[in-house]
């Protein structure tokens, strides 16, 4: 007896069940263009184009408004579609970029007196495809749909998966985005496929025959298809299409082979693609031959290869890669034993150097073969799995004092990694060999401190703040610190839980605070080395009597707020290579009796970002590169604790400064980049200066950053040094 899907198939449709589900979902998605972009996140490639178009249309808005502008609903600006011609794709362009002539930009008038077109907040960087394609493009789309249908009909019905080969075909963006949206819609059902198995095999008797056609769309939404290979050679993909494909692949768990050879992706397209497949766990074969990657693309690909555990074979032939890009790929292969083949034919690389890479790949293949053989010899039956889970729980119970406690991941952690984590307990052992416990935080007896934080729009909270009053038993010493983790919260947790103990040990050895901070950061970084893909920024303030010592790595900041009556007094800058970043600005206000007060702002830290000239030079001199504002195209900060996979480009050496507290120094603000990306130092100091309660002022900064659109975790600490 057949199932529901068999009874709903008509003539001229795929006979393979997975192919049939894909075809039905694709047709439904394509026939509803107005909702097409709802399946995607906003496209980065559209943001710059929208801003440029808004500037170009500003004068037109002025002329249509007749000199007076009032608030109006969304304004649709139609454009004239252009016919496609020979040598061009369906959007009227050749090569990798598409013209905007076929699209409608959606926006609205900003406000009275401001004749400026701004993007709609719900579609700030999206393009509407509704009713904008010309007849020639629609005819091309229908022809391509028929071609796809014919290919799907050739798939044998007995297979429980299918492959999609669309080589040497040209797509309009609407059709290609429909394919990507179909994959995105399927990803959720595929991840829940074990729950959907019963439904997929439901017999025809479970549903009345007369209702099958009426309810087929409802069943399609609950079914899934298994697509294992996607081949898109020489399909002239635009950057927007590549980004749509990247979003589709990010959460896909069925595709194991992806072929994009012959597409002129260039460095920008490679970056867009890697942003999605970096999260993919199933692709083992990747063809990026003849995509014009050059050395910059090779740097980004090598950074991706260092992190991935799924890729086994990658083809980078005919990409104009020189020896500099080759060295980056070689380093990636030496660090990742999962990579077994890298094809580099027809690149600018000497043959002897290729032989050196071959030896590394041979080693990887042998090691991986031994591991696979050992795993194949183990009888993974249900009883052993149950015993393994029980053993995991017992291992986790012995790790209650572990500073790297990642309980949410323990159930998915392989046994050998759990045992490795257990062995790392010795990192926290004191001189007597017993594990040291986390030192509890304590309040300061001299300064009032306010702390506020929120997870914001992130799925997890990776920030940590700690305050230690009466530090080291001294009522005239305090330690304040803030950490912004990335790759999980393990690194920030470890740093926050151990900085008290490690810094104290170095201070007890008669080290100066500057030396102690440098040694502390180095020690924490070393202890995080076994976990190469986690890291954290750090911003610390150690106060001893009236002297303040500041140290930071990354882009978390410490800012000093001062109030000076009449004549402002500015502290001298510390001797440091980056002193020019510590600028002091003033804002003059008046009190009720007209007494002039100058509010001064001084940044005490340095933002370690790859775009800074000094940091860029250091990275390039070490053999790394800065791509898209990131170290090797991966990390947005150039100094951090952890991130050992980017050593020696990312280092833990802190920037340091110090000053003596005077009566004019009123407060310190410690905050992560979730605040500073949207609020300037001067704005933050001005806000805090008007609120005497540090708890309320920290909450105000936190809420302001969130309301301004911060998408990161937000953490703020305000330390009140003197009354104001």
């Amino acid at each position: 007896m057949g199932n529901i899907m068999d009874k709903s198939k008509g003539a001229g449709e795929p006979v393979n069940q997975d192919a049939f589900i894909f075809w039905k979902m694709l047709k439904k998605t394509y026939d509803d263009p107005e909702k097409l972009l709802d399946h995607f996140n906003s496209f980065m490639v559209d943001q710059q184009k929208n801003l440029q178009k808004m500037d170009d249309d500003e004068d037109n808005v002025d002329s249509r408004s007749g000199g007076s502008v009032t608030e109006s609903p969304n304004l649709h600006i139609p454009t004239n579609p252009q016919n496609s011609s020979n040598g061009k794709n369906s959007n009227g362009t050749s090569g990798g970029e598409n013209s905007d002539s076929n699209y409608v930009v959606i926006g609205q008038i900003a406000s009275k007196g401001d004749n400026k077109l701004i993007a709609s907040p719900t579609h700030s960087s999206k393009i509407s495809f509704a009713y904008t394609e010309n007849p020639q493009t629609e005819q091309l789309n229908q022809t391509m749909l028929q071609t796809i249908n014919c290919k799907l009909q050739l798939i044998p019905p007995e297979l429980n998966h299918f492959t999609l080969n669309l080589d040497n075909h040209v797509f309009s963006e609407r059709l290609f985005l429909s394919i990507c949206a179909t994959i995105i819609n399927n990803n959720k059902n595929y991840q829940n496929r074990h729950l959907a198995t019963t439904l997929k095999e439901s017999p025809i008797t479970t549903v009345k025959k007369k209702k099958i056609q009426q309810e087929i769309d409802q069943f399609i939404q609950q079914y899934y298809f298994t697509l294992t290979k996607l081949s898109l050679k020489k399909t002239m993909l635009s950057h927007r299409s590549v980004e749509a494909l990247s979003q589709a692949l990010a959460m896909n768990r069925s595709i194991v082979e992806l072929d994009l050879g012959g597409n002129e992706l260039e460095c920008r397209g490679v970056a867009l693609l890697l942003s999605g497949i970096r999260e993919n766990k199933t692709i083992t074969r990747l063809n990026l031959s003849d995509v014009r990657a050059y050395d910059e693309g090779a740097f980004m690909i090598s950074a991706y290869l260092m992190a991935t555990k799924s890729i086994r074979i990658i083809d980078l032939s005919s990409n104009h890669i020189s020896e500099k890009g080759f060295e980056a790929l070689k380093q990636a292969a030496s660090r990742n034993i999962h990579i077994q083949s890298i094809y580099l034919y027809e690149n600018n690389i000497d043959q002897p150097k290729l032989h050196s890479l071959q030896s590394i790949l041979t080693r990887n293949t042998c090691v991986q073969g031994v591991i696979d053989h050992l795993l194949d010899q183990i009888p993974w039956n249900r009883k052993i799995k149950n015993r393994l889970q029980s053993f995991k729980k017992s291992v986790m119970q012995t790790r209650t004092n572990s500073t790297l406690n990642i309980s949410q991941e323990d159930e998915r952690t392989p046994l050998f990694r759990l045992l490795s984590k257990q062995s790392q307990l010795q990192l926290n052992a004191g001189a007597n060999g017993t594990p040291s416990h986390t030192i509890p935080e304590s309040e300061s007896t001299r300064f009032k401190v306010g702390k506020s934080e929120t997870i914001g729009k992130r799925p997890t909270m990776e920030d940590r703040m700690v305050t230690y009053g009466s530090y080291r038993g001294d009522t005239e010493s305090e330690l304040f610190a803030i950490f912004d983790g990335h790759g999980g919260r393990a690194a920030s947790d470890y740093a926050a839980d151990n900085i008290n103990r490690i810094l104290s040990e170095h201070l007890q050895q008669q080290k100066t605070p500057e030396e102690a901070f440098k040694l502390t950061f180095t020690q924490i970084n070393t202890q995080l080395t076994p976990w190469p893909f986690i890291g954290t920024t750090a911003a610390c303030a150690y106060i001893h009597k009236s002297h303040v010592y500041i140290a930071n790595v990354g882009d978390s900041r410490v800012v000093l707020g001062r109030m000076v009556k009449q004549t402002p007094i500015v502290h001298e800058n510390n001797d440091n290579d980056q002193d020019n970043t510590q600028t002091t600005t003033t804002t003059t206000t008046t009190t009720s009796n007209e007494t002039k007060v100058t509010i001064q702002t001084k940044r005490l830290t340095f933002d370690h970002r790859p775009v800074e000239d000094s940091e860029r030079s250091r990275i390039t001199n070490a053999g790394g590169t800065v791509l898209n504002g990131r170290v090797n195209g991966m990390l947005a900060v150039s100094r951090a604790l952890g991130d050992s996979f980017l050593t020696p480009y990312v280092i833990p050496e802190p920037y340091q400064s110090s000053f003596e507290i005077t009566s004019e120094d009123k407060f310190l603000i410690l905050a992560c980049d979730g605040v500073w990306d949207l609020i300037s130092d001067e704005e933050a100091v001005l806000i805090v200066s008007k609120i005497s309660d540090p708890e309320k002022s920290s909450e105000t900064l936190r809420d302001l950053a969130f309301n301004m659109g911060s998408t990161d975790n937000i953490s703020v600490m305000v330390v009140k040094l003197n009354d104001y």
Side-chain angles (χ1 to χ4, degrees), residues 29 34 87-88 130 182 190 203 347 435 447 462 475 482 497 560-561 571 592 600 620 668 683 686 700:
T29 304
E34 293 184 351
K88 296 184 178 182
T182 301
Y190 186 81
N347 284 294
F447 308 121
E462 299 178 349
T475 57
I482 184 170
D497 292 340
L560 172 66
H571 290 305
S592 58
Q600 295 184 345
T620 54
L668 293 174
E683 291 172 336
L686 189 60
T700 302

Side-chain angles (χ1 to χ4, degrees), residues 80-94 98-99 101-102 132-141 170-172 236:
N80 295 325
Q82 298 178 354
N83 296 336
S84 59
S85 59
N86 293 335
K88 296 184 178 182
N89 62 19
S90 58
N91 291 326
T93 62
S94 59
N98 290 342
S99 171
S101 59
N102 291 337
T132 59
E133 291 191 336
N134 53 48
Q136 291 85 352
T137 303
E138 179 61 25
Q139 181 61 38
L140 175 64
N141 290 345
V170 180
F171 301 91
S172 72
M236 300 175 65

Side-chain angles (χ1 to χ4, degrees), residues 695-716:
E695 190 70 35
K696 292 183 179 179
S697 61
S698 65
E699 292 175 356
T700 302
L701 281 180
R702 176 200 64 189
D703 296 342
L704 178 61
F706 182 80
N707 293 332
M708 291 180 67
S710 176
T711 58
D712 202 350
N713 300 145
I714 303 173
S715 299
V716 185

Side-chain angles (χ1 to χ4, degrees), residues 46 239 501 574 688 707:
D46 291 334
H239 285 155
R501 173 181 58 83
N574 297 280
V688 174
N707 293 332

Side-chain angles (χ1 to χ4, degrees), residues 123-358:
H123 296 281
S124 59
S125 62
K126 293 186 178 182
I127 302 296
S128 173
F129 288 82
Y131 313 115
T132 59
E133 291 191 336
N134 53 48
Q136 291 85 352
T137 303
E138 179 61 25
Q139 181 61 38
L140 175 64
N141 290 345
Q142 293 299 328
T143 302
M144 275 305 307
L145 285 172
Q146 294 177 10
T147 302
I148 294 174
N149 186 21
C150 292
K151 290 178 177 290
L152 295 176
Q153 290 184 45
L154 297 176
I155 301 174
E158 61 271 13
L159 294 180
N160 59 0
H161 66 276
F162 72 102
T163 63
L164 188 59
N165 188 328
L166 301 176
D167 295 347
N168 301 303
H169 291 291
V170 180
F171 301 91
S172 72
E173 284 193 344
R174 174 185 167 187
L175 178 55
F176 189 80
L177 264 65
S178 297
I179 296 174
C180 295
T182 301
I183 297 175
I184 291 175
N185 291 337
N186 181 68
N187 288 342
K188 181 177 180 181
N189 287 347
Y190 186 81
Q191 291 178 12
N192 297 329
R193 59 191 180 279
H194 301 296
L195 301 177
T197 300
T198 303
L199 175 63
K200 188 174 181 180
E201 298 177 353
S202 299
I204 189 63
T205 55
T206 59
V207 179
K208 293 183 180 180
K209 187 175 182 180
K210 63 180 180 180
K211 290 186 177 181
I212 290 179
Q213 293 300 328
Q214 299 175 3
E215 300 181 358
I216 185 63
D217 290 340
Q218 178 181 354
F219 282 106
I220 287 292
Q221 293 176 1
Q222 302 176 64
Y223 279 66
Y224 66 90
F225 58 83
T226 304
L227 173 64
T228 56
K229 178 181 178 180
L230 181 60
S231 185
L232 299 167
K233 284 184 180 178
K234 298 182 179 180
T235 48
M236 300 175 65
L237 298 179
S238 68
H239 285 155
R240 190 180 296 110
S241 297
V242 173
E243 188 171 358
L245 177 63
S246 175
Q247 294 184 27
L249 295 174
M251 299 304 295
N252 183 271
R253 294 297 180 265
S254 65
I255 297 177
V256 296
E257 185 173 351
L258 177 65
D259 193 340
L260 294 175
N263 290 285
E264 297 181 2
L265 303 183
E266 300 180 338
C267 297
R268 186 182 182 189
V270 171
L272 292 172
L273 176 67
L274 295 180
S275 65
I277 66 173
R278 184 180 293 121
E279 302 177 24
N280 187 282
K281 307 297 182 184
T282 57
I283 295 178
T284 60
R285 300 175 64 96
L286 179 61
N287 182 8
L288 293 178
S289 61
D290 194 20
V291 297
R292 298 190 178 184
Y294 300 98
D295 282 341
E296 289 184 338
F299 292 142
M300 290 184 282
I301 293 170
S302 63
Y304 161 68
L305 293 179
M306 287 185 184
T308 182
K309 296 182 180 179
S310 61
I311 293 293
R312 298 293 186 270
I313 301 172
I314 184 170
D315 190 346
L316 298 175
S317 303
S318 304
N319 273 305
H320 309 282
I321 298 174
S322 68
E323 294 183 0
K324 189 174 182 180
F326 169 78
E327 290 299 328
L329 293 170
K330 180 179 176 181
Q331 185 179 18
S334 64
R335 293 192 179 190
N336 189 345
I337 63 170
H338 300 285
I339 303 172
Q340 300 178 10
S341 297
I342 301 179
Y343 295 100
L344 292 169
Y345 301 116
E346 299 182 8
N347 284 294
N348 304 323
I349 306 171
D350 294 337
Q351 195 67 26
K353 291 185 176 294
L354 291 176
H355 288 307
S356 64
L357 175 62
Q358 182 62 39

Side-chain angles (χ1 to χ4, degrees), residues 410-642:
D410 283 336
E411 287 297 330
R412 301 188 300 272
T413 303
L415 177 60
F416 73 93
R417 293 197 182 279
L418 276 177
L419 295 176
S420 176
K421 291 179 182 180
Q422 187 181 18
S423 66
Q424 291 296 325
L425 285 173
Q426 60 184 343
L427 295 177
N428 306 319
N432 57 359
T434 59
S436 60
H437 297 273
T438 301
I439 301 175
E441 298 182 45
S442 56
E443 295 184 0
S444 171
T445 58
R446 297 193 299 165
F447 308 121
K448 292 183 178 180
V449 181
K451 297 191 297 182
S452 297
E453 61 184 7
T454 178
I455 191 174
K457 299 179 181 179
R458 290 289 181 90
T460 58
M461 183 62 175
E462 299 178 349
D463 291 356
R464 277 289 303 275
M465 295 184 290
V466 290
T467 59
Y468 296 103
S470 300
Y471 182 54
R472 302 173 60 211
D474 185 355
T475 57
E476 293 187 334
S477 294
E478 290 84 14
L479 176 63
F480 308 103
I482 184 170
F483 303 92
D484 183 359
H486 44 265
R489 64 173 297 162
S492 57
D493 280 345
Y494 180 82
D497 292 340
N498 289 272
I499 189 169
N500 183 321
R501 173 181 58 83
I502 298 175
L503 180 63
S504 177
E505 290 174 356
H506 291 300
L507 291 174
Q508 289 176 359
Q509 297 173 4
Q510 305 303 316
K511 302 290 185 181
T512 64
E514 290 84 356
E515 294 173 336
F517 265 126
K518 186 174 182 179
L519 292 172
T520 298
F521 280 28
T522 301
Q523 185 172 339
I524 293 175
N525 181 76
T526 301
Q527 294 177 353
L528 290 173
T529 300
W531 293 268
F533 303 111
I534 64 173
T536 181
T537 68
C540 307
Y542 168 54
I543 306 178
H544 180 60
K545 296 183 179 179
S546 62
H547 208 94
V548 182
Y549 302 90
I550 305 294
N552 89 290
V553 290
D555 52 8
S556 296
R557 294 182 197 166
V558 180
V559 174
L560 172 66
R562 308 181 73 241
M563 294 183 182
V564 182
K565 294 182 179 180
Q566 299 298 328
T567 305
I569 301 176
V570 182
H571 290 305
E572 295 182 359
N573 285 332
N574 297 280
D575 294 334
N576 200 298
D577 294 338
Q578 297 154 335
D579 278 344
N580 58 348
T581 64
Q582 295 190 353
T583 58
T584 302
T585 60
T586 60
T587 303
T588 302
T589 61
T590 57
T591 62
S592 58
N593 57 0
E594 300 300 327
T595 301
K596 290 186 177 180
V597 176
T598 300
I599 300 176
Q600 295 184 345
T601 302
K602 185 174 182 180
R603 186 185 301 181
L604 303 174
T605 53
F606 179 80
D607 285 354
H608 295 116
R609 292 180 173 175
V611 294
E612 297 291 340
D613 292 340
S614 58
E615 292 298 285
R616 182 190 295 270
S617 299
R618 180 185 60 78
I619 293 169
T620 54
N621 291 338
T625 186
V626 177
L627 298 171
N628 299 322
R630 294 173 176 265
V631 180
N632 281 5
M634 294 287 289
L635 192 62
V637 292
S638 55
R639 301 194 187 193
L641 307 179

